[in-house]
Amino acid sequence: MASLNVGGLGEYLREQRRNAQLSLRQLADAAGVSNPYLSQIERGLRKPSAEVLQQVAKALRISAETLYVRAGILDAERDRDEVETRAVILADPTLTERQKQVLLQIYESFRKENGFGGTEDGEVEASVPEPGTEASTSKGGRPAQRPGREAGGDDSGPRRPAG
């Protein structure tokens, strides 16, 4: 993951707050964070979470993605669909923080399984599977069957109870 650019983020937030003609206290109230905490973010002393950035973006009526990129949480080149999917999950008020994190972990694991997972330094990389591997596709773009499995089969057959 890219290093957090907290100083640049703080300057940007201060500029956006002033453009919106909001005091520090007004923005803190609208974003649901404390006034001192927001002040520390603006001065580059604190690293806000993605959730806090999302709340601040909502209060400022700007894109949360922009703040994520400014904070170094996301690379600007990242796939737009991925960014939007993450933002929608984080913005859902009906989910708890734990549920949001679990959904993001599941989403990332599926992306990795499909060859679009992040690399060690946080960049997104699309890999092309080797021919003949599980991830390869058959004619028509459908996933190739695993060896020993019948087409259309599933694992939902009768199960014996454990024990």
Side-chain angles (χ1 to χ4, degrees):
M1 185 172 290
S3 61
L4 293 180
N5 181 11
V6 184
L9 171 68
E11 293 169 14
Y12 180 75
L13 281 177
R14 182 177 293 123
E15 179 183 319
Q16 294 302 308
R17 177 177 58 78
R18 288 180 177 161
N19 287 344
Q21 298 180 340
L22 293 172
S23 70
L24 191 64
R25 179 166 286 132
Q26 288 171 321
L27 179 57
D29 288 343
V33 298
S34 73
N35 190 33
Y37 181 63
L38 185 58
S39 174
Q40 290 173 344
I41 293 170
E42 280 194 0
R43 291 181 287 143
L45 302 176
R46 290 286 183 145
K47 298 176 184 176
S49 68
E51 179 63 27
V52 168
L53 288 175
Q54 197 254 335
Q55 290 171 244
V56 169
K58 191 174 184 181
L60 287 171
R61 294 186 174 99
I62 61 175
S63 163
E65 176 188 306
T66 301
L67 293 185
Y68 297 156
V69 170
R70 290 273 179 169
I73 293 172
L74 291 178
D75 294 331
E77 301 83 34
R78 251 196 167 156
D79 179 22
R80 188 159 200 77
D81 290 339
E82 177 191 0
V83 171
E84 290 173 359
T85 300
R86 289 175 183 277
V88 167
I89 291 170
L90 289 171
D92 191 331
T94 65
L95 299 175
T96 66
E97 286 307 305
R98 172 98 174 103
Q99 290 169 331
K100 290 175 185 179
Q101 292 308 311
V102 169
L103 273 174
L104 289 173
Q105 289 171 353
I106 292 168
Y107 175 66
E108 186 61 31
S109 72
F110 284 151
R111 286 182 52 79
K112 285 180 184 175
E113 184 178 310
N114 293 334
F116 292 95
T119 61
E120 288 181 26
D121 62 359
E123 292 183 16
V124 175
E125 176 181 278
S127 64
V128 178
E130 294 289 324
T133 64
E134 284 185 23
S136 67
T137 57
S138 63
K139 290 181 183 176
R142 297 183 57 129
Q145 293 294 319
R146 291 183 188 163
R149 293 188 63 161
E150 296 178 21
D154 64 16
D155 292 333
S156 63
R159 304 207 189 278
R160 287 192 295 188

